[in-house]
Amino acid sequence: MDKVENNGEVRTFTGKLVVDNPNGYPIQVKRGNFTVSNDPLTLGDCKILEKRTLPRNGAETVDFQLNVKNKALLLGGLQQLGSLLTGGEAKVTIQGEIKACTYGIFCKKYRVNESLKLKL
């Protein structure tokens, strides 16, 4: 995370995410929109801030912004309080889609549905 801002209702996290391109040709990531949740509570939304070209068979950093409602952050913390005290894990789900293009012509939306376990 590079920066955190708080306006009272929403906490905004800005950071960089490393995205890997396993293909033998460059891909341009145009946009991405995601929902971040801690089942069953929706914590906030995340989006990719700018277009970025990923080199072939390589990785590139992509800027992202995560907006989390302070109320959801508090409820999520209370929901995970037992795990927090015992050093357990929290399950975070990221769902959404990324739009990517090859050579500026062939564009496709890719669904993202990932679950991560974070140590508390």
Side-chain angles (χ1 to χ4, degrees), residues 43-107:
L43 297 175
D45 62 338
C46 183
K47 64 182 175 180
I48 294 175
L49 295 177
E50 61 186 34
K51 296 177 186 177
R52 180 70 65 168
T53 300
L54 307 177
R56 61 187 183 122
N57 300 318
E60 184 70 40
T61 59
V62 176
D63 295 332
F64 73 92
Q65 182 177 36
L66 172 62
N67 298 310
V68 178
K69 295 178 183 171
N70 286 333
K71 185 177 179 181
L73 194 59
L74 178 63
L75 290 174
L78 290 174
Q79 184 180 23
Q80 297 296 326
L81 187 59
S83 294
L84 179 65
L85 295 174
T86 60
E89 297 177 334
K91 181 181 175 186
V92 176
T93 303
I94 301 169
Q95 294 179 322
E97 63 185 25
I98 292 177
K99 182 178 180 183
C101 296
T102 305
Y103 303 115
I105 301 171
F106 306 105
C107 296

